[in-house]
């Protein structure tokens, strides 16, 4: 029957366009009132509400009570009074629409949420409301019971049941005439009314009835329902807390003169002095903090600090809904306008952990995004440290469009603490950032912090790059990370080098085998003999990882060498004599040496009087022209010109090696000069190279700039410039008198063209000059990170 009535009422409300609310399911509770309560929603925005309905047709005698309640609820404004959204009256019904509430007797059944602390807090709220009605409004409520008290979504207790609310100044007070029409009025009436009727209230202080009914409410909350007023004096009342029991007895005195007023009850509850028996029951943490929360924005800094400290200690005693809906808005307002500072932010975020992302985006996110733009370093550091607590509740659009642009200013902040926290925050932001923000603005600023004057910031930047490596764009990450990590390998800060090694070890899958062999391993290997043990240890581990990848790749490569075995000489050299030392040249060392020397002699077109036919005529008459041609060829290849006499023999590998210099490191490097690789020109990285080698290194044309990875590689044309270089020429000729070969050496000047004047180097001197040059190179490398403003010409950000 109730369901049918609810359905009919809902249909009637929907058909009436003037009533902008939808009536939902009926709320079942201890309904000893004239109202039927329903769940409802506002049609415009689907806001939840509660609808009180009074049926005029079925309760015509009680219509004055319903109309009085509707009128008083609209006019009486107090925090402890239930909030009215709208009232509406038709020919058949009277509707009162309020905020979404739950009846007290329904909520109190959940003892986990409704503990003694919460009950004290609620009783305190109702007592303050009754004091306002009795003292400030000079009125009598007259209908205090559990069915008149409701709990909001925030957990606060609100007073309703204003059917008999009467002002002593009214011409025709309704309570004197219609007091007996309220359901169960005799059960909650004070003893004097039971004897003399409701008219007796005209001759008594107007607080007496409300004091008695408030005492009955305390009894009913702790002991359950009662049937008559005699039970209020029974032993069942001992279930009331001891500190509350004494003041409770003052409220339920049968003699009106001995009965305490609500105001006196509150004063005793707040007095914690030993002179007042049973006092202090209203001095709980919840009550004290709930009163201060409303004045938080106007409190001094000292008072605010004390409040936050105390609130963090007892916040778990409050209902989560109260923290979320009542405390949090006050904290947000204080943080934004009252200068609450980092401590208020910490409490805000702790409370917001219980909120859904949608609620957070409405209640907290706008203030946080606004505070990121405030030039307060303490606030910025607090926001960055707390970023993991709220980043998941923000949408990607909020992060990319609003938060990230303000966060970028932290990379260039003058305070090192802000820069460091900004670098650490990158890891938290990565899942929310767009590819454009990652591969453009973010990398450009990380390039600056990796060159920071603070070693800790440089180290953290390297760690950050290692962790976000797989989130970078596949077309750029290899080049960016190669430049960044190899640069960190030269950091004078031990932990910076160690971080680079560890980052390289965990990102090995990003680099190709060619990069591992040609760029990364040469940069890692010097750290195998680093002066710090932790660096050496990590360097060995990293080298093992990269060597494993290089070896695996080499094993999978096809064999493009000749099918002829390496331990056998080619057919063209079948007539070559054995070495002078008697070895057959087929051993591992003899075979290799024979191949190298014989092949080189073959290429030179030289024989020692032995008829070796390689398809090229070698008469004695043509040796002069051959030597001249060979000298020209070697000069063009930047090698010393060598004139060979007939006395030269390939049967002496040791002397041939010494004369030709094939085994010399200097001559070998002259044959294969270091190429100018754009991705491996690090300025100062090759400072430790062997300065005794007679090698002319190419110019290092690329800056150490991994932030400019997205620019196309441009070829730079450098005007050719002729440079005079001294070349030592060794000539072997026959002495006319002894007919034995003699050797003479002379120094000539050869003009040759280089790619750049700055890249041309003269042959390394010996002795003291070489030591001075090596010392300068070492000094230059050690000061690479000492003064980044003056010495670092990399200009990482200039590439953008």
């Amino acid at each position: 029957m109730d369901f049918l009535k609810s359905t009919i009422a809902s249909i009637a409300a929907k058909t009436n366009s003037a009533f902008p609310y939808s009536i939902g399911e009926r709320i079942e509770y201890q309904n000893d009132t004239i109202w039927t309560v329903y769940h409802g929603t506002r049609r415009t925005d689907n806001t939840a509400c509660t609808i009180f309905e009074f049926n005029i047709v079925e309760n015509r005698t009680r219509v004055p009570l319903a109309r009085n309640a509707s009128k008083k609820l609209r006019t009486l404004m107090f925090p402890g009074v239930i909030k009215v959204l709208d009232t509406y009256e038709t020919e058949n019904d009277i509707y009162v629409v309020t905020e979404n509430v739950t009846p007290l007797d329904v909520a109190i059944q959940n003892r986990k949420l409704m503990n003694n602390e919460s009950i004290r807090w609620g009783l305190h709220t109702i007592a303050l409301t009754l004091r306002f009605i009795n003292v400030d409004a000079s009125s009598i409520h007259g209908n205090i019971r559990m069915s008149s008290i409701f709990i909001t979504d925030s957990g606060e207790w609100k007073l309703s049941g204003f059917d008999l609310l009467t002002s002593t100044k009214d011409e025709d007070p309704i309570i004197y005439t219609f007091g007996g029409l309220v359901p169960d009025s005799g059960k909650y009436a004070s003893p004097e009314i039971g004897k003399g009727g409701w008219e007796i209230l005209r001759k008594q202080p107007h607080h007496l009835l409300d004091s008695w009914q408030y005492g009955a409410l305390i009894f009913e909350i702790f002991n359950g329902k009662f049937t008559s007023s005699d039970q209020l004096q029974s032993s069942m009342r001992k279930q009331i807390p001891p500190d509350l029991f004494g003041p409770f007895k003052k409220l339920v005195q049968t003699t009106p003169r001995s009965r305490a007023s609500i105001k006196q009850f509150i004063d005793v509850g707040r007095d914690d002095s030993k002179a007042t028996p049973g006092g202090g029951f209203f001095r709980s943490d919840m009550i004290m903090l709930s009163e201060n929360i409303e004045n938080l924005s106007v409190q001094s800094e000292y008072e605010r600090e004390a409040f936050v400290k105390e609130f963090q200690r007892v916040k778990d005693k409050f209902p989560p809904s109260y923290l979320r809906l009542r405390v949090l808005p006050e904290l947000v307002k204080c943080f934004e306008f009252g200068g609450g500072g980092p401590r208020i932010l910490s409490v805000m975020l702790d409370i917001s952990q219980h909120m859904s992302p949608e609620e957070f985006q409405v209640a907290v996110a706008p203030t946080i995004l606004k505070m990121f733009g405030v030039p307060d370093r303490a606030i910025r550091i607090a926001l960055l440290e707390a970023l993991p607590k709220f980043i998941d509740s923000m949408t990607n659009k909020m992060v990319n469009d609003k938060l990230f642009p303000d966060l970028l200013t932290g990379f260039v902040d003058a305070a090192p603490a802000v820069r460091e926290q900004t670098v650490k925050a990158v890891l938290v932001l990565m899942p929310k950032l767009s590819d454009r923000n990652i591969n453009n603005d973010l990398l450009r600023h990380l390039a600056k912090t990796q060159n920071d004057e603070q070693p800790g910031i440089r180290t953290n930047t390297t760690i950050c790059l290692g962790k976000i490596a797989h989130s970078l764009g596949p077309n750029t990450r290899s080049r960016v990370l190669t430049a960044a990590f190899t640069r960190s390998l030269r950091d004078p800060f031990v932990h910076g080098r160690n971080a680079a090694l560890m980052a390289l070890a965990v990102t090995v899958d990003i680099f190709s085998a060619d990069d591992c062999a040609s760029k990364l391993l040469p940069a890692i290997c010097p750290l195998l003999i680093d002066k710090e043990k932790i660096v050496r240890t990590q360097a060995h581990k990293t080298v093992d990882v990269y060597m494993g990848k290089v070896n695996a790749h080499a094993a999978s490569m096809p064999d493009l060498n000749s099918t002829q075995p390496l331990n056998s000489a080619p057919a063209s050299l079948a007539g070559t004599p054995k070495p002078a030392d008697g070895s057959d040249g087929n051993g591992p060392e003899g075979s290799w040496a024979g191949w190298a020397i014989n092949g080189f002699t073959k290429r030179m077109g030289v024989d020692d009087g032995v008829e070796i036919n390689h398809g090229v005529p070698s008469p004695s008459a043509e040796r002069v022209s051959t030597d001249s041609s060979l000298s020209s060829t070697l000069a063009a290849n930047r090698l010393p010109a060598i004139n060979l006499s007939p006395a030269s023999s390939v049967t002496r590998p040791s002397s041939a090696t010494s004369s030709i210099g094939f085994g010399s490191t200097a001559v070998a490097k002259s044959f294969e000069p270091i190429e100018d690789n754009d991705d491996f020109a690090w300025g100062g990285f090759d400072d430790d190279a062997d300065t005794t080698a007679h090698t002319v290194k190419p110019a290092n044309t690329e800056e150490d700039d991994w932030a400019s990875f997205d620019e196309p590689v441009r070829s730079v044309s450098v005007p050719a410039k002729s440079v005079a270089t001294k070349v030592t020429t060794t000539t072997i000729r026959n002495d006319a008198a002894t007919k034995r070969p003699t050797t003479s050496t002379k120094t000539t000047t050869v003009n040759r063209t280089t790619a750049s004047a700055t890249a041309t180097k003269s042959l390394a001197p010996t002795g003291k000059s070489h030591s001075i040059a090596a010392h300068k190179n070492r000094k230059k490398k050690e000061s690479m990170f000492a003064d980044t403003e003056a010495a670092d010409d990399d200009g990482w950000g200039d590439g953008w």
Side-chain angles (χ1 to χ4, degrees):
M1 187 67 182
D2 291 336
F3 175 77
L4 180 61
K5 181 179 179 182
S6 173
T7 304
I8 295 174
S10 178
I11 295 174
K14 290 180 180 178
T15 55
N16 191 343
S17 59
F19 188 70
Y21 298 91
S22 298
I23 299 177
E25 185 180 356
R26 179 177 176 176
I27 300 175
E28 299 294 339
Y29 73 111
Q30 180 185 338
N31 193 359
D32 53 358
T33 67
I34 63 175
W35 300 92
T36 304
V37 185
Y38 299 92
H39 294 293
T41 55
R42 186 160 50 192
R43 296 178 186 175
T44 55
D45 54 5
N46 291 327
T47 301
C49 61
T50 301
I51 300 176
F52 293 79
E53 179 196 39
F54 176 79
N55 191 290
I56 297 177
V57 178
E58 297 179 358
N59 299 280
R60 291 193 179 275
T61 57
R62 294 173 175 171
V63 170
L65 299 178
R67 288 176 176 169
N68 181 69
S70 176
K71 176 183 177 181
K72 297 297 183 180
L73 283 171
R74 291 197 309 266
T75 57
L76 189 63
M77 298 294 182
F78 193 76
V81 176
I82 191 171
K83 182 179 180 180
V84 176
L85 303 178
D86 200 357
T87 59
Y88 189 78
E89 183 175 350
T90 65
E91 295 180 356
N92 299 323
D93 298 289
I94 297 176
Y95 296 100
V96 176
V97 184
T98 69
E99 58 184 321
N100 193 39
V101 292
T102 302
L104 175 61
D105 71 324
V106 174
I108 207 170
Q109 296 175 7
N110 188 352
R111 300 301 295 182
K112 291 182 179 180
L113 296 178
M114 197 65 63
N115 50 32
N116 286 343
E117 283 289 327
S118 298
I119 292 174
R120 289 174 185 267
W121 176 47
L123 288 174
H124 179 261
T125 302
I126 299 302
L128 292 178
T129 306
L130 289 175
R131 186 185 66 177
F132 169 76
I133 291 173
N134 294 156
V135 178
D136 298 333
S138 299
S139 301
I140 304 173
H141 187 280
N143 189 27
I144 302 171
R145 58 183 75 183
M146 286 190 66
S147 59
S148 297
I149 298 174
F150 296 84
I151 297 179
T152 65
D153 292 338
S154 62
E156 297 175 278
W157 291 26
K158 295 297 181 74
L159 183 61
S160 183
F162 284 4
D163 307 343
L164 295 176
L165 184 64
T166 301
S167 174
T168 57
K169 300 178 182 179
D170 290 344
E171 296 180 358
D172 187 14
I174 191 174
I175 193 172
Y176 305 146
T177 306
F178 297 96
L181 296 179
V182 176
D184 291 339
S185 59
K187 174 183 174 181
Y188 293 98
S190 59
E192 60 271 15
I193 293 178
K195 295 179 181 179
W198 292 87
E199 287 289 337
I200 199 173
L201 295 178
R202 296 178 182 269
K203 302 177 182 179
Q204 294 179 347
H206 54 269
H207 68 268
L208 292 180
L209 176 60
D210 289 343
S211 298
W212 173 271
Q213 290 182 342
Y214 184 75
L217 174 67
I218 295 175
F219 180 91
E220 200 168 15
I221 288 174
F222 288 102
N223 299 291
K225 299 180 181 180
F226 65 95
T227 56
S228 65
S229 59
D230 295 338
Q231 290 178 319
L232 300 180
Q233 310 295 328
S234 67
S235 59
M236 290 180 61
R237 65 186 184 182
K238 292 183 179 179
Q239 297 184 20
I240 300 173
D243 58 344
L244 188 58
F245 182 71
F248 160 77
K249 290 193 299 183
K250 292 290 184 179
L251 293 174
V252 292
Q253 291 292 324
T254 56
T255 303
R257 292 182 179 179
S258 303
R259 193 177 304 156
S261 65
I262 299 295
K263 182 179 180 302
Q264 292 171 338
F265 181 79
I266 294 174
D267 293 340
V268 172
R270 289 184 170 182
D271 188 3
D272 59 349
S273 63
K274 296 181 180 180
T276 304
F281 56 87
F282 276 163
R283 293 193 64 84
S284 66
D285 296 327
M286 291 184 65
I287 294 174
M288 302 302 294
L289 291 175
S290 61
E291 290 183 341
N292 292 332
I293 189 66
E294 299 179 0
N295 302 321
L296 187 61
S297 298
V298 297
Q299 289 178 350
S300 65
E301 184 176 355
Y302 174 79
E303 293 174 333
R304 197 157 41 231
E305 290 287 332
F307 168 82
V308 171
K309 182 178 180 180
E310 188 68 15
F311 182 80
Q312 288 179 327
R313 184 179 64 85
V314 301
K315 61 182 174 59
D316 293 336
K317 296 182 181 180
F318 287 92
S321 56
Y322 177 77
L323 299 176
R324 185 178 69 254
L325 301 177
R326 188 71 181 87
V327 178
L328 185 60
E330 295 294 333
L331 294 174
V332 169
K333 183 168 61 176
C334 178
F335 179 66
E336 184 174 358
F337 303 107
R343 294 185 66 88
I344 294 293
L345 174 65
S346 177
V347 180
M348 283 172 49
L349 297 178
D350 288 343
I351 295 174
S352 64
Q353 299 300 307
H354 303 286
M355 301 177 66
S356 65
E358 293 75 15
E359 291 176 321
F360 183 88
Q361 292 164 17
V362 174
V364 183
T367 299
I368 288 180
L369 294 174
K370 180 180 179 181
M371 297 308 291
F372 260 102
V374 174
D376 188 331
R377 290 191 175 97
I379 294 295
R380 172 61 66 88
I381 292 176
L383 289 171
L384 292 174
E385 290 177 345
L387 198 60
K389 295 183 179 180
F390 61 82
I391 191 64
D392 291 336
S393 299
M394 287 191 171
T395 62
N396 292 358
K397 183 175 178 61
M398 285 182 176
V399 174
N400 285 279
D401 296 347
K402 297 180 180 179
L403 190 150
F404 185 69
D406 289 332
L407 182 137
L408 288 178
T409 60
F411 285 104
V412 294
D413 195 275
V418 176
R419 299 199 302 273
E420 183 172 5
Q421 289 299 329
T422 305
V423 171
K424 293 179 180 179
V426 171
L427 299 179
V428 183
L429 287 178
M430 284 300 294
K432 297 282 185 178
L433 292 180
S434 63
D435 291 340
R436 179 183 178 278
N437 283 336
I438 292 174
N439 295 293
N440 289 276
D441 294 339
L442 179 60
L443 287 182
R444 186 175 74 248
H445 285 84
L446 287 177
K448 295 178 181 178
T449 55
Q450 203 198 22
N451 194 33
D452 198 275
E453 61 183 5
Q454 297 292 326
I457 296 177
R458 297 198 302 267
T459 303
N460 286 332
T461 303
T462 303
I463 296 172
C464 176
L465 286 171
K467 291 186 176 182
I468 70 173
H470 294 84
S471 299
L472 303 179
N475 297 327
T476 58
R477 62 187 176 191
S478 177
R479 182 178 181 183
V480 168
L481 296 179
T482 299
F485 292 156
T486 54
R487 182 174 195 174
S488 295
L489 291 175
R490 305 171 307 197
D491 197 320
F493 187 51
V494 55
H495 298 291
R497 301 194 300 276
N498 195 49
L501 290 169
M502 290 189 291
L504 283 168
V506 299
T507 57
V508 64
D509 59 311
I510 290 177
F511 307 104
S512 65
D514 291 340
D515 287 343
C516 292
S518 62
K519 298 180 181 180
L520 298 176
L521 278 172
I524 297 171
C525 287
L527 299 184
L528 293 172
I529 55 173
D530 193 272
K531 61 182 180 180
E532 298 290 345
K533 183 177 180 180
I534 61 171
V535 177
R536 296 194 301 271
T537 303
Q538 184 59 44
H540 280 84
K541 295 178 182 179
T542 305
V543 166
D544 291 342
V545 173
Y546 276 78
M547 285 302 299
K549 180 169 183 175
V550 171
N551 291 335
H553 178 75
S556 65
M557 294 176 65
D559 187 6
L560 301 180
N561 294 330
S562 172
T563 58
Q564 185 177 4
L566 293 176
N567 58 357
S568 62
S572 59
L573 298 180
T576 304
K578 295 182 178 181
D581 57 2
S583 63
D584 59 359
N586 293 328
E589 295 180 1
S591 175
W592 175 85
W595 271 87
I597 298 171
N598 292 335
F600 189 79
T601 307
K602 174 185 174 183
R603 187 162 62 88
M604 298 299 181
V606 179
D607 69 86
D608 191 17
V610 180
E611 291 297 331
I612 303 176
N613 185 8
H614 300 307
V616 179
S618 56
S620 301
E622 293 179 330
R623 291 193 183 277
V624 176
S625 61
T626 301
D627 294 342
S628 176
S629 175
L630 178 61
S631 300
S632 301
T633 302
L634 294 177
N637 287 276
R638 305 177 186 175
L639 286 173
I642 302 176
N643 293 328
L644 301 178
S645 67
S648 300
S649 176
V650 297
T651 61
R652 298 191 302 274
S654 59
S655 62
T657 303
S658 175
S659 300
I660 298 174
F662 185 77
S664 171
T665 304
V667 177
K669 290 188 176 181
S670 298
F671 275 104
E672 297 180 4
I674 299 176
E675 296 181 358
D676 187 5
N677 190 328
D678 287 344
D679 290 337
F680 202 53
W682 298 108
F685 180 77
D686 294 330
D687 291 342
D688 293 336
D690 186 7
T691 57
T692 62
H694 303 297
T695 304
V696 179
K697 296 183 180 180
N700 187 359
T701 58
E702 182 179 350
E703 294 181 349
D704 191 2
D705 187 358
W706 62 265
S708 59
F709 62 90
D710 60 339
E711 292 185 356
V713 178
R714 298 186 297 272
S715 60
V716 181
S717 299
V718 181
K721 185 175 182 180
S722 178
V723 180
T725 304
K726 293 182 180 179
V727 178
T728 302
T729 305
T730 303
T731 306
I732 303 175
R733 66 181 182 274
N734 290 326
D735 187 92
T738 62
K739 296 185 179 181
R740 298 185 63 180
T742 60
T743 303
S744 62
T745 304
K746 66 177 181 178
T747 303
T748 60
T749 302
V750 180
N751 291 329
R752 53 190 179 84
T753 304
T754 61
S756 174
T758 59
T760 304
K761 297 182 180 179
S762 61
L763 296 178
T766 60
K768 184 176 181 180
S769 300
H770 167 62
S771 301
I772 295 175
H775 175 71
K776 290 182 177 180
N777 287 332
R778 287 195 300 269
K779 185 174 181 181
K780 176 182 178 183
K781 183 176 181 180
E782 292 173 356
S783 61
M784 186 178 301
F785 288 86
D787 188 359
T788 57
E789 296 295 332
D792 194 343
D793 297 333
D794 300 334
W796 288 23
D798 297 339
W800 295 86

